[in-house]
Amino acid sequence: MTLKKYSGEVSFLTVDAIIVEDDRIVLVRRGNPPFKGMWALPGGFVDYGERVEDAVEREAREETGLMVEHGKLLGVYSKPDRDPRGHTVSVVFVCRPVSGKLEASSDAMEAEWFRLDELPELAFDHAEIICDFINSLKTK
């Protein structure tokens, strides 16, 4: 096997949390570019040495004030153009809130519950991710 020579460019690992309760999902209004002011799933970059399972719980807590428990892996999203800052690969988990009070913090301007059938316009590829989540509910 021949290895491709390292070009110096790398992909960045991120996580996104689908925090769901009944027929509602938590979204945050982004406080920073890209997509500043738009709604998105809570999430962010995985720290070096951090497990993705721990990262999704940390990011959810930092952005929403909720302690969550990660559940099943929904999927891995890796389209090279999904983030205008560069190639990010996101590991998406379905999570359930276990404690805390929903309130925006970290780089989120707002955090709110939305009904799955009344979602606002979303940043990144988060509409596709939520659609995949809704479709996964139909196959149960």
Side-chain angles (χ1 to χ4, degrees):
M1 177 170 105
T2 305
L3 293 176
K4 183 178 175 184
K5 184 178 179 189
Y6 176 69
S7 68
E9 294 181 29
V10 296
S11 300
F12 295 96
L13 184 59
T14 64
V15 290
D16 288 303
I18 294 181
I19 304 171
V20 65
E21 191 171 70
D22 300 321
D23 65 343
R24 302 179 310 154
I25 190 170
V26 172
L27 298 175
V28 295
R29 188 182 298 272
R30 291 183 53 79
N32 295 315
F35 304 110
K36 182 177 181 177
M38 290 187 68
W39 292 96
L41 293 167
F45 292 97
V46 177
D47 292 337
Y48 182 80
E50 184 177 36
R51 295 177 341 127
V52 292
E53 297 88 349
D54 297 330
V56 75
E57 292 178 3
R58 174 183 54 78
E59 284 289 343
R61 183 180 64 255
E62 288 176 0
E63 293 190 359
T64 71
L66 296 174
M67 299 288 291
V68 301
E69 181 178 81
H70 73 277
K72 74 172 189 163
L73 171 69
L74 178 68
V76 177
Y77 294 80
S78 61
K79 289 181 186 169
D81 62 350
R82 65 182 301 274
D83 188 324
R85 295 170 292 188
H87 187 195
T88 61
V89 176
S90 189
V91 180
V92 182
F93 288 94
V94 178
C95 302
R96 70 176 189 85
V98 293
S99 66
K101 179 183 175 197
L102 182 63
E103 57 187 352
S105 57
S106 185
D107 60 352
M109 296 168 38
E110 295 179 65
E112 289 187 28
W113 286 101
F114 285 87
R115 290 179 43 89
L116 285 169
D117 60 356
E118 295 177 355
L119 298 174
E121 183 179 355
L122 297 167
F124 305 103
D125 56 354
H126 292 184
E128 175 186 344
I129 293 170
I130 293 172
C131 185
D132 289 349
F133 169 69
I134 292 169
N135 287 334
S136 77
L137 298 174
K138 295 175 184 175
T139 61
K140 284 188 174 181

